Amino acid sequence: MTYTFPDFFFWGAATSSYQIEGAIAAEGRKPSVWDRFAATPGRVLNGDTGAIACDHYHRFREDVTLMADLGIRHYRFSIAWPRVIPDGRGAVNEAGVDFYRRLVDCLEEHGITPYATLFHWDSPQALEDRYGSWRSREMAQDFAEYVAAVVERLGDRISHWITLNEIACFTHLGYGVGQIPPHAPGTVVATPKDVWQTSHHALLGHGLACQAIRAASPIPCAVALVDNYAVTVPLAETPEHITAAQVAFHTAWANGGILFPALTGAYSPLLLEKLGADAPDIQDGDLQTICQPLDVLGLNVYSGSYVRAADNADGFETLPFPASYPRLHMPWLWVVPDALYWGVRHVSEVLGHRQLSIWVTENGCAVEDVLTEQGEVLDCDRILYLRQHLQAAHRAVSEGYPLGGYFVWSLLDNFEWAWGHDRRFGLTYVDFDTQQRIPKASARWYAECIRQNRVV
């Protein structure tokens, strides 16, 4: 079978500001919660920080040229809030904005379309100190004002905007009940309700940001939300197991409290029943603000879980992975390629959004890359992973689901959050001591997929 994509399908690459930019004190930038978190002993593996990362702030032209050489014509990046408004609210740092002007102009020179994520976890430390970041409803309004400032200044250059990246990660993994959580700001809270309140405030921020983008943009633009939902995959594609996977989708991780309200205007009733008193407080008008019309939904897909029908109160059972099941170089990175197809399908069938355009905004894997004596990285394991996921993407497109594009994660090895520089997701090997960039075998393979518009 030839896995050729239709002409409308686009191929891209993705990064995020704190993971690649470095230059954490350059030209007026002030600390983010990740600067504080990474500087705290014991929080990040090997004591790594994003202080330099890939030094993209100074080397962006090299990185854009690298993309162009690979044939990548669509680039998803993020804008650092503490670079643009260092105190989180108030004065705009025009020098910080100018960096993104230079970046976007360079992309245009190389024929690469920019897709800007307005928040990829690096919130201003000043707002954490002021009112506890996402624990406060104030954060949603401050975020919307930051968004308006960015779009007013860059909206003549950028027509694809993403409000927030992976709400569940910076809330449910950033706030821990009775214990220090693995992500910044690393805040200990008293109850699960406190955690759900943070993701509710983030949803408010998303809704207000959608309104701010559309009000501020000087040109027609597309507005998206990116979610790393939990994908429930039927153990076998039979009616009873498919139904079980669809029901399980409501309460898998944070789906029912993030994707559902964003797309339907209501928390999943199955989730609310499960949460009981731990459900967040929802004020009048919140859900109308949260459920803004979207032009695109971005889905970050890395893994999934298998579900089967069961004779129990839930009607389904989520299955554990056997000891021998394939997993790549992260504890959670089980190889479940069908998750990409079923994730897209669930949006259409479970959430009822059959016409909503979808992009896969992240898909990739960490593997144990080795630089050979010949100066190569022969990451055939990454190629295997990506090939299987792209075949699942092709299935979704061929069955008529509205999947229009794909961003591989990531262009570069980077600062991988609490794993520091130890885990490598890039198509390009980065020597963090010398900042040398070395395209891996997967980069050349991906370039050929782009050239032929098919999975090779």
Side-chain angles (χ1 to χ4, degrees), residues 20-90:
I20 67 169
E21 285 180 2
I24 60 172
E27 298 183 287
R29 182 192 180 278
K30 290 186 178 180
S32 74
V33 292
W34 268 98
D35 293 304
R36 175 73 60 83
F37 187 85
T40 304
R43 294 291 175 89
V44 175
L45 188 64
N46 300 322
D48 294 334
T49 75
I52 299 174
C54 303
D55 197 27
H56 177 75
Y57 189 85
H58 299 109
R59 299 170 183 266
F60 70 88
R61 295 186 185 280
E62 176 185 353
D63 295 333
V64 172
T65 300
L66 173 62
M67 270 191 288
D69 290 345
L70 294 173
I72 294 168
R73 295 292 180 265
H74 301 266
Y75 178 46
R76 178 185 170 225
F77 63 97
S78 75
I79 294 172
W81 187 350
R83 200 178 290 288
V84 175
I85 302 182
D87 292 315
R89 55 168 58 171

Side-chain angles (χ1 to χ4, degrees), residues 163-164 202-212 288-292:
T163 56
L164 299 169
L203 283 168
L204 279 175
H206 157 71
L208 293 171
C210 289
Q211 296 171 347
Q288 289 84 348
T289 299
I290 288 167
C291 187
Q292 294 296 306

Side-chain angles (χ1 to χ4, degrees), residues 161-383:
W161 296 101
I162 295 163
T163 56
L164 299 169
N165 180 79
E166 298 186 346
I167 289 174
C169 282
F170 66 81
T171 57
H172 289 248
L173 296 182
Y175 299 85
V177 179
Q179 59 184 0
I180 296 172
H183 281 198
T187 303
V188 178
V189 296
T191 67
K193 181 184 182 70
D194 295 329
V195 178
W196 282 103
Q197 202 66 53
T198 66
S199 58
H200 183 73
H201 294 157
L203 283 168
L204 279 175
H206 157 71
L208 293 171
C210 289
Q211 296 171 347
I213 293 167
R214 292 187 169 115
S217 179
I219 61 175
C221 65
V223 180
L225 172 69
V226 165
D227 191 39
N228 62 325
Y229 58 170
V231 183
T232 50
V233 177
L235 184 62
E237 293 191 12
T238 60
E240 65 273 21
H241 293 313
I242 291 172
T243 298
Q246 291 173 335
V247 173
F249 187 70
H250 285 251
T251 53
W253 198 23
N255 291 355
I258 294 177
L259 202 56
F260 276 71
L263 293 185
T264 72
Y267 281 69
S268 164
L270 297 181
L271 176 70
L272 292 178
E273 181 181 1
K274 180 179 177 182
L275 291 180
D278 287 326
D281 294 328
I282 303 170
Q283 295 185 14
D284 290 344
D286 281 1
L287 292 171
Q288 289 84 348
T289 299
I290 288 167
C291 187
Q292 294 296 306
L294 293 177
D295 300 294
V296 180
L297 176 66
L299 300 177
N300 293 351
V301 184
Y302 291 93
S303 188
S305 57
Y306 289 109
V307 172
R308 68 177 179 182
D311 186 15
N312 59 27
D314 294 324
F316 67 85
E317 180 182 13
T318 302
L319 304 179
F321 288 101
S324 59
Y325 192 91
R327 177 173 58 177
L328 292 175
H329 200 213
M330 291 293 269
W332 47 263
L333 196 43
W334 308 101
V335 182
V336 188
D338 287 341
L340 194 152
Y341 165 79
W342 281 102
V344 172
R345 181 167 165 177
H346 286 339
V347 171
S348 289
E349 296 184 351
V350 180
L351 291 164
H353 279 269
R354 298 181 183 274
Q355 304 305 317
L356 177 61
S357 295
I358 294 172
W359 303 327
V360 171
T361 35
E362 292 180 25
N363 174 240
C365 60
V367 301
E368 298 182 65
D369 290 320
V370 175
L371 191 63
T372 69
E373 292 181 358
Q374 293 75 32
E376 296 181 288
V377 177
L378 304 175
D379 55 339
C380 52
D381 40 7
R382 181 175 285 108
I383 293 173

